[in-house]
Amino acid sequence: MSDQIIRDGDVDTAVIAEYEQSRRDLMRKGLVVGGAVIAATSIPFFLKARNAMAQADDDAAILEAAVGLEQMAVFAYTAAAKSGKLGKASAVATLFAKQEQEHADGLIQALESLGGKAPAKPTKVEDVDGLAEAAGGDATDILEFAVDLETSAVGAYYDAHGKLKAPELLSTGASIMANEAQHLVVLRQALKQNPSPDAFVTGGKG
Amino acid sequence: MTVDDFLRLRDPRSRRDFFRLAGLTTVGGSAAFLAACGGDDEDETTAQSGGNEDTGGGEGDAKILNGALDLENTALAAYTAGAALLKGDALAVGKQFLGHEQEHADGITQAIKDLGGTPNKAKSADEYAQGFPSLKSQKDVINFAIDLENMAVAAYIDAIPKLTSGQLRQTGAAIVSNEAEHVSVLLGALRPSDAARQVPDAFVTGKKA
C-alpha cells in the first residue's frame, strides 16, 4: 500500500505532517483504509486550529487562535450534550462545555487586554468540520470525535508553550492544557481505553 | 509529619508552610524547587511579568529542573511504598504511574546534564518514608497519591513561566498535564461512577478551591 500524501496543503506544517505520519502508522496496523490522497479540506478542523496556533508568532495571535479552538469545543460539546445519544455521558459533555467556556472567557479577557478581538463563534454544525458526521453517528463516534478534539487542543497548547512570552499566560495555558488532558481521561475511560497512556502529554498521535 | 499535617495541604495557603515543614529530608527537594522558581508569593511570581524570551536554558533552568527531579523521585518512592497496599486495577494503575514518574525523572535528569548541571541524587526509601503519612489501606494510598500529584501540578505550574528555554517549558507542560491525568484517574478510583468529580476545575492549578 502506498503512503498517503497531503495535497492542496494550505496547512502543511509539522503538525499536519505528524497527523499524516499517524495515519501511515494506522494504515500499517490495518486500522485505516481509504484513498491515496488526503485533501486539506478533509483535515479535521481541530488540526487546522492547532496549526493556526503553531503558526502564530506573538501572544495575541496565539490567544486568538486558542479562543477559536475553545469556542469550537464549546459548540461541539453543547451539540453533543443535546444529541440525546450520550446517555449518562450527556452530563459530562455539559460540564466540559462549561469548562471550555471558562477557558474561552479567560482567554478573551487576556486577548482584549492586548488589544485583540475574539474571532466569531461557530453558529451551526457545519462550522465545525467533522462534527456533523460525528453527530450523525452513535455515542462512540461522538466520544471519538471529542478525543480528537481534546488531543488537538492539548497539542496546540503544547506548541504554544514554546512561544508564549507573558509568564501569566504560560501559567494559564498550562492549567488549561492540564484540564484538557483530564477531559481526555474521562473520554478514554468511556471508550474503555487506557486513560493515561503517555508519560509526556503532547497531543501527539503516536 | 503527621497525617493531619499532610491533609492540611489541601488548603493552598498552607502549601508553602508544607515546604517549610517538610524540608529536604521529607519530600526530597520540594523546598528547593519552590526556591528555584522564585517562591510562590504573588509578588515574586509577577516580578518577571515583563516577558519570557527563550534563551535556550541555563544554570537557572538546571536549578529548577533539579527541584522537579526531587519531586519526581519523591513520587517514585511514594508509588513504590504504596504498591504493597494496592490490588487489582488500582495496583495496575499504580504501576503504570510509577513508570510515568520514572520517565519524567529520566527525562529531567538528561535535561539537567544537557544544561551542564549535576542531577540531584534520590534519597533512600527509608528517608522518603519518614515524610509520608501512615498508609494502612488502598484508600490511604490513593488519597496520598492525589495530594502528591496535586502538589506536583502546583509546582510545575509555578515553574513553567520561570524556565527560560521554550523547549523545557513545553516539557514542563507535557509533564504537568500527565500529573493532572493521574489526579483524574485517582479521583475516579475513589468514586468510580462519578465522572464529573474527576475534572473538578476548568483551570487545573493543583490547589484546592
Side-chain angles (χ1 to χ4, degrees):
Chain A
M1 186 180 295
S2 63
D3 284 344
Q4 295 186 348
I5 59 170
I6 293 176
R7 290 182 184 161
D8 306 321
D10 58 341
V11 285
D12 54 342
T13 68
V15 174
I16 302 302
E18 182 182 346
Y19 175 67
E20 170 65 358
Q21 181 60 48
S22 172
R23 283 186 62 87
R24 287 177 185 158
D25 291 344
L26 290 172
M27 288 174 67
R28 290 192 190 100
K29 294 172 186 171
L31 298 177
V32 171
V33 294
V37 176
I38 302 173
T41 52
S42 70
I43 296 170
F45 83 90
F46 32 83
L47 285 175
K48 295 177 186 173
R50 177 177 176 179
N51 189 60
M53 280 179 74
Q55 296 205 341
D57 56 4
D58 62 34
D59 284 3
I62 292 170
L63 285 173
E64 184 177 343
V67 169
L69 188 54
E70 296 290 352
Q71 289 175 335
M72 293 277 192
V74 171
F75 188 88
Y77 277 120
T78 302
K82 291 178 178 175
S83 70
K85 297 179 178 178
L86 292 181
K88 290 182 180 177
S90 178
V92 172
T94 300
L95 172 67
F96 289 2
K98 177 176 173 288
Q99 293 186 336
E100 306 293 4
Q101 186 63 59
E102 286 185 60
H103 300 165
D105 292 345
L107 294 168
I108 288 170
Q109 190 173 2
L111 175 61
E112 290 177 346
S113 74
L114 293 176
K117 185 182 175 185
K121 297 178 184 177
T123 57
K124 54 185 183 300
V125 171
E126 291 73 23
D127 289 343
V128 183
D129 294 348
L131 179 58
E133 292 81 356
D138 58 15
T140 298
D141 294 319
I142 295 171
L143 291 170
E144 287 177 345
F145 179 83
V147 166
D148 280 347
L149 185 157
E150 295 285 3
T151 300
S152 291
V154 165
Y157 285 106
Y158 174 78
D159 295 339
H161 272 80
K163 292 184 173 184
L164 280 169
K165 292 183 174 59
E168 60 273 22
L169 293 180
L170 284 161
S171 291
T172 300
S175 69
I176 293 175
M177 178 175 164
N179 177 249
E180 312 293 16
Q182 291 188 326
H183 289 178
L184 278 168
V185 165
V186 174
L187 294 167
R188 291 184 186 124
Q189 286 180 326
L191 288 165
K192 310 294 184 194
Q193 298 174 357
N194 182 345
S196 178
D198 301 306
F200 296 89
V201 180
T202 64
K205 291 238 176 188
Chain B
M1 183 171 56
T2 68
V3 175
D4 287 342
D5 290 332
F6 202 90
L7 291 177
R8 197 160 52 82
L9 292 172
R10 292 174 182 278
D11 176 358
R13 289 167 296 186
S14 68
R15 185 163 56 89
R16 189 177 39 193
D17 294 339
F18 168 75
F19 289 116
R20 291 190 184 121
L21 175 69
L24 296 177
T25 59
T26 54
V27 290
S30 297
F33 191 14
L34 195 63
C37 294
D40 64 353
D41 283 332
E42 199 65 24
D43 290 346
E44 294 172 74
T45 302
T46 55
Q48 300 184 22
S49 60
N52 199 343
E53 296 297 332
D54 190 339
T55 61
E59 189 178 340
D61 282 6
K63 195 173 178 182
I64 292 170
L65 292 178
N66 252 324
L69 178 59
D70 290 335
L71 277 182
E72 297 293 350
N73 281 329
T74 303
L76 284 170
Y79 279 113
T80 301
L85 292 167
L86 300 177
K87 296 176 182 173
D89 290 345
L91 177 59
V93 166
K95 286 181 177 177
Q96 186 190 23
F97 290 1
L98 181 66
H100 287 168
E101 307 298 358
Q102 186 65 60
E103 286 188 61
H104 300 165
D106 291 346
I108 291 168
T109 296
Q110 187 59 51
I112 293 168
K113 290 178 180 176
D114 290 346
L115 291 171
T118 303
N120 289 347
K121 286 188 167 60
K123 301 179 186 307
S124 71
D126 285 345
E127 285 178 292
Y128 283 116
Q130 287 171 16
F132 294 164
S134 173
L135 302 173
K136 295 179 178 175
S137 67
Q138 180 163 293
K139 188 177 178 184
D140 287 345
V141 174
I142 293 173
N143 276 318
F144 178 48
I146 290 170
D147 284 333
L148 272 184
E149 296 281 7
N150 271 323
M151 201 160 53
V153 167
Y156 277 106
I157 294 285
D158 283 344
I160 286 169
K162 281 117 183 169
L163 289 165
T164 62
S165 158
Q167 190 174 5
L168 290 177
R169 290 197 296 269
Q170 287 182 299
T171 301
I175 293 176
V176 76
S177 295
N178 180 243
E179 311 292 17
E181 285 185 341
H182 291 178
V183 171
S184 281
V185 173
L186 293 165
L187 287 171
L190 288 179
R191 295 174 182 267
S193 60
D194 195 352
R197 285 185 181 269
Q198 291 178 256
V199 192
D201 301 304
F203 296 88
V204 179
T205 63
K207 302 171 184 177
K208 299 289 180 182

